[in-house]
Amino acid sequence: MNTTRRIRCARTLVGALVGGVAAASAAVVTAAPAQAEVLPYVPWSSYLAGWTDEYVPSSDNDCVAGRPSCLKATLKEQSRIADETAASCSHNAVFARAYVRMTQLYGHTRDIDGYYEDEPYFNHVDAVFARYYTDAYYAWKAGDRDEVPQVWLTAFDAARDKRVSGTGDLLLGMNAHINRDLPYVMAAVGLVAPDGSSRKGDYDAVEEWLYEATAPLIAEFAQRFDPVMDDTQDPFGLGNWTLFQMVSGWRENAWRNAEALITAPTPAARALVEAEIEAAANAAAQTILASQSYLPLVQSSAARDAHCAAHVDEDPAVPYAFGQATAYGYAY
């Protein structure tokens, strides 16, 4: 598969969007144990003494204080999942590796002088956000299903059962992490700086690199995991821009939902906001399942699995903004 073909990134993703994901996600606004793939897990926040989701610059905990060293701890934890799921060609490897790449790209932009107004704050956001995913994943792996949000159960189960395309696995993970997790994360870390100014500037700065990240990401996944991820021809002539608009819309909804969580006047009012967040994310997941599931008796993941077995160890052919990536590990 040549680079030009691989770089037709987001075609299948756009198909899912046109099929209804955007409509389902718009509703997010304000308002049996699996096979073991990884080693037994001790939640990383538990061995980082003093961990809290609240940003405390004076904390002895590097991640809570947002010190630069926290990024390597975050990448190490994410890569633990990404490397071992890739080695077995688990369908969970798609979102796991996507998350590593996004964190690597965050590290790249973080090292650009002046990119973020409050770099320590966003180092902390990055770590808390990652923990929501890793804790959900390991609880699912351990069979502790009551500890896993429903939208993550849908994503992880679909990957375990090889139910959806590579694009479906990616979208299910993105939906769970942005539409469901992100509002809680931002509400916990705080939306306002000590001087009363909004943190929205740094939150929105992330989107400056999200668009450019899409092309190499999908190229890598078509190369290593599922070759059809860049194959679908979009009849509407849409591409990365449309995918970016979907993600941007999800992130905006997440911020507004975080505001709603914080400003809820009573526990009952907050519970209502939480219920709306969960319901909308679950509805979006069902839309993704409907558009990305293999048709029984007609389609299967056999070709995808064979392709992964042959190519998963290859380093990505298309470089990222941070440089040439490797198949495993997390250097940036």
Side-chain angles (χ1 to χ4, degrees):
M1 183 182 299
N2 60 39
T3 300
T4 300
R5 182 167 175 246
R6 288 177 183 143
I7 207 85
R8 290 199 309 264
C9 27
R11 296 296 195 184
T12 305
L13 296 175
V14 171
L17 171 63
V18 173
V21 174
S25 65
V28 182
V29 210
T30 55
Q35 290 180 319
E37 290 171 342
V38 293
L39 298 174
Y41 175 67
V42 177
W44 59 313
S45 57
S46 72
Y47 60 74
L48 296 174
W51 177 283
T52 68
D53 286 355
E54 182 184 359
Y55 174 48
V56 183
S58 61
S59 174
D60 291 337
N61 182 294
D62 286 348
C63 289
V64 174
R67 298 188 183 97
S69 59
C70 181
L71 183 64
K72 287 189 177 180
T74 304
L75 278 166
K76 180 178 180 180
E77 194 66 17
Q78 292 172 327
S79 294
R80 173 181 167 126
I81 298 173
D83 288 354
E84 295 194 42
T85 52
S88 63
C89 278
S90 163
H91 289 198
N92 274 311
V94 173
F95 180 76
R97 180 55 57 183
Y99 205 169
V100 171
R101 296 297 181 234
M102 294 301 102
T103 303
Q104 289 176 290
L105 284 161
Y106 166 65
H108 170 72
T109 58
R110 184 196 69 172
D111 293 341
I112 298 173
D113 188 43
Y115 199 97
Y116 298 97
E117 295 177 13
D118 190 341
E119 177 190 309
Y121 163 79
F122 224 83
N123 288 338
H124 177 63
V125 171
D126 179 67
V128 175
F129 197 28
R131 186 178 65 84
Y132 272 62
Y133 163 66
T134 59
D135 283 1
Y137 179 79
Y138 283 112
W140 175 79
K141 291 301 298 177
D144 297 330
R145 296 178 69 85
D146 290 344
E147 300 299 317
V148 184
Q150 179 58 52
V151 70
W152 275 120
L153 287 176
T154 300
F156 295 145
D157 287 352
R160 178 200 62 199
D161 298 340
K162 300 185 176 183
R163 180 177 174 182
V164 298
S165 66
T167 294
D169 288 318
L170 180 58
L171 285 173
L172 285 170
M174 289 169 58
N175 169 60
H177 207 35
I178 299 174
N179 283 331
R180 190 271 170 189
D181 292 348
L182 191 52
Y184 297 116
V185 170
M186 297 311 299
V189 300
L191 304 182
V192 179
D195 64 1
S197 62
S198 173
R199 300 283 196 184
K200 190 69 157 47
D202 279 346
Y203 182 84
D204 288 342
V206 170
E207 297 188 13
E208 295 179 22
W209 51 262
L210 280 176
Y211 176 77
E212 293 182 0
T214 306
L217 187 75
I218 303 304
E220 175 183 355
F221 292 172
Q223 174 189 340
R224 299 180 61 204
F225 299 123
D226 186 353
V228 305
M229 286 185 73
D230 64 355
D231 279 0
T232 298
Q233 296 300 312
D234 173 24
F236 298 94
L238 305 174
N240 289 356
W241 183 87
T242 301
L243 174 62
F244 173 75
Q245 292 304 311
M246 179 185 74
V247 173
S248 180
W250 284 0
R251 295 187 79 255
E252 182 65 22
N253 283 334
W255 180 274
R256 300 306 170 193
N257 279 325
E259 291 179 325
L261 288 169
I262 290 173
T263 59
T266 65
R270 180 182 169 104
L272 181 59
V273 175
E274 292 176 354
E276 290 172 347
I277 290 170
E278 303 288 343
N282 287 323
Q286 292 305 310
T287 300
I288 295 167
L289 285 177
S291 65
Q292 293 297 314
S293 290
Y294 296 114
L295 298 176
L297 305 179
V298 178
Q299 299 173 315
S300 77
S301 68
R304 166 186 175 179
D305 295 334
H307 176 88
C308 180
H311 299 283
V312 69
D313 295 334
E314 296 175 359
D315 290 340
V318 178
Y320 288 83
F322 58 79
Q324 183 61 51
T326 57
Y328 297 96
Y330 55 90
Y332 68 91

